[in-house]
Amino acid sequence: MTTTPESLSATPSRQGATTRAQCPAHRISVGRALAWTAMVLIMLFTLLPFYWVLRTALSSNAGITADPTSLLPVDTNLRGFSRVFGMQSTEEALADGGSGAAINFWLYLRNSVIVSTLVTVGQVFFSAMAAYSFSRLRWRGRDTVFAVFLGALMVPSIFTLLPNFVLIKQLHLIDTLLGVALPTMFMTPFAVFFLKQFFMNIPRELEEAALLDGASKVRVFFTLILPMAKAPISTLAILTYITAWNDYFWPLLVSYTDSSRVLTVALAVFRSQAPQTGPDWSGLMAATLVAALPMLLLFMAFARRIVNSIGFTGIK
């Protein structure tokens, strides 16, 4: 058999291709397949409630009753959203299986925005000052106070409801937006701990240089520390805003009229206004979707920043 230069040059390439094809790294292992399958199943179970809310919101109440197990919307329509935004008359709402009662969606939305903004601005600002004090200033009993303060993370929030209610009542702030926001408007143990971890990683040389130039501690905090902590502060603001937006039990406890009710409480009121034929599931799910959509979009837009900031602060 005659060996040509072309055959000699082609032989190594064919051997390399055969070796790569036989390499285990290029084959899907059983463990990897099981891992992908488990991840897909977890994603499906996680997204299923959101899809079911959307499916129910796009269905009619009569269709839901007729075919409750259907995976697709039954009698697809947007009348549930029309009831949420007050675009249906009482007769039309009753004909669609609603209660006929109007829901002042835009008022509740405004209240939720005001309360969430007050809580976020106040909590982030005061928590940043407390975190700076615990991480940079030296005063007697600092570590002990911080340990006690951090221990509040283990106290369930339901234990503080009664003292907070008594305080708000003594301040005559029951059934007001300020009364809804006040208990969480100053600081929380998690917020202080979150920012303290970042402040501790800022080089002290920068702060000492500013102090040598004649800057005060207050000026250093506002002109040096806060700008450098923009990433964790914005992350904390997003998390705080979402938490305040989704809060339910405390606003339910202190708000009695529409003037101070937030969206989460309005959904419960809307649920309680059930007609004799049963709850208005289509309208309720439409209201739930509209109320949750802003926070879902906000979290999706800043998800990468949140993860990066948590990793940078050293929280495991």
Side-chain angles (χ1 to χ4, degrees):
M1 179 178 179
T2 304
T3 304
T4 61
E6 290 79 3
S7 62
L8 290 175
S9 60
T11 301
S13 62
R14 288 197 298 269
Q15 292 177 350
T18 304
T19 303
R20 287 193 298 270
Q22 296 176 350
C23 182
H26 290 267
R27 295 201 302 265
I28 299 178
S29 62
V30 177
R32 180 174 296 182
L34 291 176
W36 276 100
T37 303
M39 186 176 66
V40 171
L41 290 176
I42 292 174
M43 290 182 61
L44 289 177
F45 279 111
T46 303
L47 296 176
L48 181 61
F50 296 98
Y51 171 75
W52 202 254
V53 168
L54 178 62
R55 172 259 181 195
T56 306
L58 294 176
S59 303
S60 65
N61 287 309
I64 294 172
T65 304
D67 192 2
T69 60
S70 175
L71 295 178
L72 298 176
V74 184
D75 186 19
T76 306
N77 63 85
L78 298 176
R79 293 192 296 271
F81 294 92
S82 299
R83 288 194 294 280
V84 171
F85 293 111
M87 299 171 62
Q88 272 190 342
S89 64
T90 303
E91 293 75 14
E92 291 174 336
L94 290 174
D96 284 336
S99 64
I103 174 174
N104 198 340
F105 178 81
W106 299 111
L107 176 62
Y108 299 144
L109 178 64
R110 186 208 67 178
N111 293 343
S112 291
V113 171
I114 293 176
V115 170
S116 300
T117 302
L118 287 175
V119 171
T120 300
V121 173
Q123 188 176 138
V124 171
F125 178 71
F126 292 111
S127 295
M129 291 196 297
Y132 178 74
S133 175
F134 283 124
S135 62
R136 290 307 201 196
L137 303 183
R138 297 178 181 177
W139 41 279
R140 179 172 300 183
R142 181 191 65 177
D143 296 337
T144 302
V145 173
F146 180 72
V148 174
F149 188 76
L150 201 60
L153 284 172
M154 297 181 290
V155 179
S157 59
I158 195 171
F159 288 171
T160 62
L161 287 178
L162 183 58
N164 285 333
F165 181 82
V166 173
L167 176 62
I168 296 300
K169 185 176 181 180
Q170 294 294 329
L171 294 175
H172 304 288
L173 294 176
I174 295 293
D175 199 24
T176 63
L177 294 178
L178 184 59
V180 176
L182 193 61
T184 54
M185 203 172 75
F186 291 102
M187 66 182 72
T188 61
F190 170 77
V192 174
F193 173 72
F194 181 85
L195 293 179
K196 178 179 179 293
Q197 296 299 110
F198 179 85
F199 290 161
M200 291 177 62
N201 293 327
I202 297 178
R204 288 186 175 272
E205 290 77 9
L206 297 176
E207 185 178 356
E208 293 172 355
L211 293 174
L212 289 175
D213 289 339
S216 62
K217 287 285 186 180
V218 175
R219 185 176 180 182
V220 168
F221 174 73
F222 283 102
T223 61
L224 181 64
I225 301 299
L226 287 185
M228 294 183 65
K230 186 194 310 186
I233 285 178
S234 59
T235 299
L236 179 62
I238 295 169
L239 295 176
T240 304
Y241 199 93
I242 294 175
T243 302
W245 184 278
N246 294 327
D247 194 14
Y248 168 73
F249 197 65
W250 173 254
L252 177 65
L253 192 64
V254 297
S255 58
Y256 302 148
T257 61
D258 289 347
S259 62
S260 62
R261 281 178 180 154
V262 294
L263 268 176
T264 51
V265 178
L267 293 179
V269 174
F270 189 76
R271 167 68 176 83
S272 65
Q273 295 173 341
Q276 295 180 356
T277 56
D280 181 11
W281 291 117
S282 177
L284 180 61
M285 291 300 102
T288 302
L289 186 64
V290 172
L293 189 59
M295 294 302 99
L296 182 61
L297 296 177
L298 181 66
F299 185 82
M300 291 175 61
F302 295 96
R304 183 180 297 273
R305 171 173 292 185
I306 293 173
V307 173
N308 292 339
S309 296
I310 292 176
F312 190 74
T313 54
I315 298 176
K316 303 298 184 183

